[in-house]
Amino acid sequence: MFAQSLRPQDRVAIVTYASGTTVALEPTGGTDRQKVLDAIDALGAGGSTAGADGLQRAYALAERHFDKDAVNRVILATDGDFNVGITDPRELEKFVAAKRKSGVYLSILGVGSGNLNDALMQRLAQSGNGNAAYIDSLLEARKALGEELGSTMFPIANDVKMQVEFNPAKVAAYRLIGYETRMLARQDFKDDKVDAGDMGAGHTVTAIYEITPSGAAGTLVDPLRYGEGKKAAPRTKTDELCFVRVRYKLPGEDKSRLVEQPVRAGAAHQSLQAAPADQRFAVAVAAFGQRLRGEQQLADYPYADIAELANGARGADAEGYRAEFVKLVRMTEALGKAGQR
C-alpha cells in the first residue's frame, strides 16, 4: 500500500536485517513502482535480529543520498526484539539521538505479537525525532501509511514543548494524565538544546488535565487544627483559568519560536455532557488507559461507563475507529468479569 502511494519525486530503499544486513533495494524512484513491489515480494523471514546493524546501514544509506530539499526518513519495521549487535536500549538511544543531528528522521512500525517490545520502540522514536505506530492489521496499516501519511512522514515542527500555568485563584490542584515519558523540567522549556516531540502535517496532540477548582480546595485535605496553614491564593482581577505556552522549531532551524494563549474560565463547560464529542471521546480513551493501569483515581469508574461515554461521542466515525475502541472497552469488561468467576 505504501509503494502504491509513491510519487515520481519520491525515492525508497530497503535494508533487511537478520543474522546480517543486506540492501534489498537500492534507492529507487517512485516511477519505478514495480521494482519496489518486486523487492517486497522477495522478502522472507529468517535468522536472528541484527536490528542495530540494520539501523546503522539504513542511516548510512539515507545520509549518502541525503536531499536537503526533501524529507529524509528511516522507517524501521520491527518487533523491538534486537538480539544481535547493540542490544542495550541506552546504547541504541544514544546512537539514534546522535543521528538526529544529521537531519534524518526516524519512524518505527511495530509488528508481531507475543515478544513485542513496545517500550523500546517508543524510546527510539522519541530519540530520533520520530513517531511509532503498531501495525496489527491491514486496517492499521492503511491508517498509518495511508490516511495519516502526512502526519507520519512530513514534519512541520521540531522539538514541540507545551507548558501550562494554572491560575491559583481558580485552580487548587491539577494532574496531567499520561505523558510520563515526555515530561520535562521547568527550566527545559526555554532551553533549545533539550530535545522534545515533533509534529507532522495534520498531526494533533491532546493533553488532558484533571483539575480541582479553588472553591473545592477543602475537599483535598482536612483543615489544620492549629494555625492557618498556607495563605489563601491571591485574588486576581482576571478570569484566566490558565496560561498556555508552546515552543517549537521549524525544520532546519535551531532557535525556537514561542506562542502564548490565555484560557478564560468562561470557556469551561458546565458538565462533561456539554463538551464537544472529540473532548468526550478523548476523556473516555484516557479513562480506559488509567483503568488498565489500575490507577486509583478511576477505581469507581467502571468499564461500562467508559464504553457508554465513548459510544455517545463517536460522531460520524467514517472509518469505524471509534466504534472499534468501544468494542475493545466492552471486551475488556467481559474479560474482567470472566476472570472474577
Side-chain angles (χ1 to χ4, degrees), residues 104-308:
V104 178
Y105 293 84
L106 173 68
S107 288
I108 298 182
L109 301 179
V111 294
S113 60
N115 63 336
L116 185 75
N117 190 344
D118 183 69
L120 175 61
M121 293 189 295
Q122 293 289 343
R123 287 166 64 179
L124 292 181
Q126 291 179 24
S127 299
N129 275 1
N131 40 52
Y134 178 50
I135 309 297
D136 65 341
S137 66
L138 198 60
L139 185 67
E140 272 307 308
R142 179 170 170 264
K143 178 183 176 185
L145 294 172
E147 298 162 20
E148 297 180 356
L149 187 63
S151 60
T152 303
M153 298 294 166
F154 302 105
I156 59 171
N158 293 342
D159 292 337
V160 181
K161 305 174 186 176
M162 186 178 75
Q163 188 179 69
V164 181
E165 179 184 355
F166 287 98
N167 181 357
K170 300 288 185 182
V171 178
Y174 64 88
R175 178 175 71 99
L176 175 62
I177 298 173
Y179 290 95
E180 290 85 357
T181 62
R182 289 291 192 177
M183 294 288 283
L184 297 174
R186 185 177 178 183
Q187 63 269 23
D188 291 340
F189 182 72
K190 292 185 67 175
D191 189 348
D192 287 345
K193 296 179 182 178
V194 175
D195 180 56
D198 304 287
M199 295 188 68
H203 186 192
T204 61
V205 174
T206 301
I208 297 176
Y209 286 86
E210 178 187 72
I211 67 171
T212 301
S214 56
T219 64
L220 297 176
V221 293
D222 291 328
L224 295 174
R225 180 180 178 88
Y226 307 104
E228 296 180 358
K230 292 179 66 176
K231 294 182 179 180
R235 294 186 177 274
T236 61
K237 297 180 181 179
T238 178
D239 67 341
E240 289 181 8
L241 186 67
C242 63
F243 195 73
V244 180
R245 298 180 179 90
V246 177
R247 282 192 176 275
Y248 68 95
K249 300 173 187 172
L250 292 179
E253 293 187 358
D254 296 323
K255 187 174 178 57
S256 66
R257 306 182 181 208
L258 176 66
V259 177
E260 299 177 315
Q261 178 68 44
V263 178
R264 308 291 177 184
H269 299 283
Q270 296 303 310
S271 67
L272 180 59
Q273 289 71 28
D278 284 349
Q279 289 186 16
R280 285 183 280 128
F281 191 82
V283 168
V285 174
F288 182 54
Q290 290 177 93
R291 274 303 307 261
L292 288 175
R293 291 171 54 164
E295 295 187 10
Q296 61 180 10
Q297 289 89 347
L298 272 289
D300 58 351
Y301 196 57
Y303 286 119
D305 289 353
I306 296 173
E308 182 179 356

Side-chain angles (χ1 to χ4, degrees), residues 44-78:
S48 49
T49 312
D53 289 346
L55 265 179
Q56 291 172 334
R57 189 134 185 198
Y59 270 112
L61 200 60
E63 290 169 5
R64 191 160 67 247
H65 297 273
F66 189 87
D67 183 350
K68 64 180 181 61
D69 296 322
V71 177
N72 301 268
R73 184 178 296 271
V74 169
I75 304 173
L76 172 66
T78 179

